Amino acid sequence: EAGDRICPALPSPMLESPYDRRRADDEEDAKNIAQVDNGDVAPFGVGLNLVKCAVGAGSFTFPFAFTQTGIVCGIIGIILFAVMAAYTMKLLADAEKKFLMIRDYRPIESPETGKPSRNRLTYPELMRTAYPTAEVFGYNYMAGLLYVTVVLTSLGICVAYVLFITSTMNHGFGWDTDYTVLGLSVPILILAMFKSFKLLAFTSVLGDVAVTAGLIGTIWGGLAAGRTLSWPDNIPAFNSSRGGDVPIGLATLCFMFNIHMMCLPMSQSLKGDMQHPDRFPKVVNISFVFILTLNLIFTLLCVMIFHGDDGGILNPVLRNLNTGAPLQVIRVLLCVDLLFTVPMILAVGREIIEYTVQYCLGMKQTQIQINTSPSVGGWQEDEQRDDGEGSRAYKMVVEVVSRKQM
């Protein structure tokens, strides 16, 4: 009794078990997650898409890059870049999920299912959420900068692929460039209509088969011409004689792993991505192990096969092959590979442009309410929201993210 007088009973909310509060928060999080638009692509399909983006015509430049860096330096570089790319891609996908839960989304009814639905974040939206105070005259310049760079990169890569195909067909088969461009416009427009990465996974299979056949054909063509496998004595482990070539060679190796523009579309297309946040990192790990192994084996084999040529290893290594049917077949395979890569690269910029146009035309309801005024935890509840929604937004900032990171 004396203890009760000294320390009276606390109010019932303070006696609530932290495990009960966590369970209630987890149930609310599960409800929010269930409203997020989820992908429909199996992990194997997402892995095929990732491999398709990182293995292609650029792989044929790796042997020459090894002559610039040195063999050991090239091996260390390609492993390091693969590890860094996989790690940063997982960080980017994880950041999108966490900021998606932080932002105060107002679900709208999905026209397909009739249930509340939450759209995933695009790159500009993610930047706008991560840097809410980076504004000039009321416009978030970080989001605008990313918008421009992503769209221009998407379009620029597609244009470069088309130019490569037209140039290859012109030099290899004498096709007229203008007619080749007109002929390519039809399949590209058809493939560009594929908005589902589940359908694009089929094109990835065709592209992966084509580029793999091209890699094998290059090795077979080199050996069939009378060359043998031998360790190159004329290529050092670390190239110190031509220091200016080392950064260029490392840049070539690094460029092939810079596929982060495809990260969010890939992760968002994965089936059950929000319910199973560890699923996409596993897909990335397996895919990059395969990408690294394939590129490394192909590069070392080409170095051992073509290092004894009179002109050395050329860039790309296809130039070391004699003119003939094998070279023509490989050129066609590379063109097929790039053709089926175009719709995947184009999908990133197209999605951002379509969302912006629809929003400007009023075809999309506003789902996001952001207040950039600082408060406890860096956010302040919107006055237009009721107390329930405000407290939930605050709790998601202060508690949910910290629990997800534990």
Side-chain angles (χ1 to χ4, degrees), residues 132-147:
T133 59
E135 293 186 350
V136 175
F137 301 111
Y139 183 78
N140 191 295
Y141 58 86
M142 294 295 290
L145 177 64
L146 193 62
Y147 180 99

Side-chain angles (χ1 to χ4, degrees), residues 1-311:
E1 295 179 358
D4 292 339
R5 290 193 297 271
I6 295 174
C7 183
L10 296 174
S12 56
M14 298 298 295
L15 294 177
E16 181 183 5
S17 169
Y19 297 100
D20 293 336
R21 292 198 302 271
R22 173 169 292 189
R23 184 165 55 250
D25 290 338
D26 288 342
E27 292 175 356
E28 182 67 21
D29 292 345
K31 178 182 177 181
N32 293 332
I33 291 174
Q35 294 175 342
V36 175
D37 290 340
N38 281 282
D40 55 354
V41 183
F44 182 73
V46 176
L48 287 176
N49 291 335
L50 285 174
V51 171
K52 178 68 214 65
C53 293
V55 178
S59 300
F60 294 87
T61 64
F62 281 12
F64 181 76
F66 268 42
T67 66
Q68 295 176 304
T69 62
I71 296 179
V72 176
C73 181
I75 293 175
I76 295 175
I78 196 174
I79 294 175
L80 179 62
F81 293 139
V83 172
M84 292 176 59
Y87 176 70
T88 50
M89 284 190 69
K90 290 184 288 187
L91 284 181
L92 182 57
D94 187 58
E96 189 267 342
K97 295 181 181 66
K98 285 182 170 58
F99 280 113
L100 179 66
M101 299 303 296
I102 290 176
R103 295 185 73 166
D104 178 29
Y105 267 66
R106 298 182 184 275
I108 62 174
E109 183 176 299
S110 172
E112 291 82 8
T113 62
K115 299 179 180 180
S117 175
R118 299 167 184 248
N119 293 328
R120 300 292 292 268
L121 299 180
T122 61
Y123 284 106
E125 291 175 327
L126 177 59
M127 188 65 71
R128 189 178 295 110
T129 309
Y131 301 95
T133 59
E135 293 186 350
V136 175
F137 301 111
Y139 183 78
N140 191 295
Y141 58 86
M142 294 295 290
L145 177 64
L146 193 62
Y147 180 99
V148 173
T149 54
V150 169
V151 172
L152 291 181
T153 301
S154 176
L155 295 177
I157 292 176
C158 292
V159 171
Y161 284 174
V162 172
L163 293 178
F164 178 88
I165 295 174
T166 55
S167 176
T168 301
M169 302 307 290
N170 178 263
H171 289 90
F173 302 95
W175 290 15
D176 184 80
T177 302
D178 296 335
Y179 288 109
T180 304
V181 172
L182 291 176
L184 287 174
S185 62
V186 176
I188 289 177
L189 288 176
I190 295 175
L191 293 173
M193 301 302 294
F194 292 171
K195 295 186 178 182
S196 171
F197 274 80
K198 187 175 183 179
L199 297 176
L200 292 178
F202 171 73
T203 65
S204 295
V205 172
L206 299 177
D208 290 337
V209 171
V211 71
T212 303
L215 298 177
I216 296 174
T218 302
I219 297 172
W220 175 80
L223 294 175
R227 301 178 181 90
T228 58
L229 284 171
S230 62
W231 189 257
D233 297 330
N234 57 342
I235 302 178
F238 295 89
N239 192 352
S240 58
S241 60
R242 295 186 298 173
D245 289 344
V246 175
I248 298 176
L250 292 176
T252 301
L253 300 176
C254 178
F255 179 76
M256 282 300 297
F257 294 100
N258 290 337
I259 58 174
H260 296 70
M261 187 178 68
M262 304 301 303
C263 178
L264 293 190
M266 295 290 184
S267 65
Q268 294 169 4
S269 67
L270 181 61
K271 187 175 183 180
D273 178 50
M274 290 295 296
Q275 289 83 352
H276 306 281
D278 60 332
R279 184 171 292 179
F280 183 70
K282 292 180 180 178
V283 173
V284 172
N285 290 336
I286 296 174
S287 300
F288 270 85
V289 167
F290 178 80
I291 293 168
L292 172 63
T293 303
L294 181 62
N295 279 320
L296 192 56
I297 292 176
F298 171 75
T299 302
L300 290 176
L301 287 177
C302 286
V303 168
M304 290 188 289
I305 293 173
F306 298 104
H307 71 92
D309 288 8
D310 294 336

Side-chain angles (χ1 to χ4, degrees), residues 103-106 121 125 355 365-370:
R103 295 185 73 166
D104 178 29
Y105 267 66
R106 298 182 184 275
L121 299 180
E125 291 175 327
Y355 184 89
Q365 301 182 37
T366 303
Q367 294 183 327
I368 308 165
Q369 301 291 336
I370 305 176

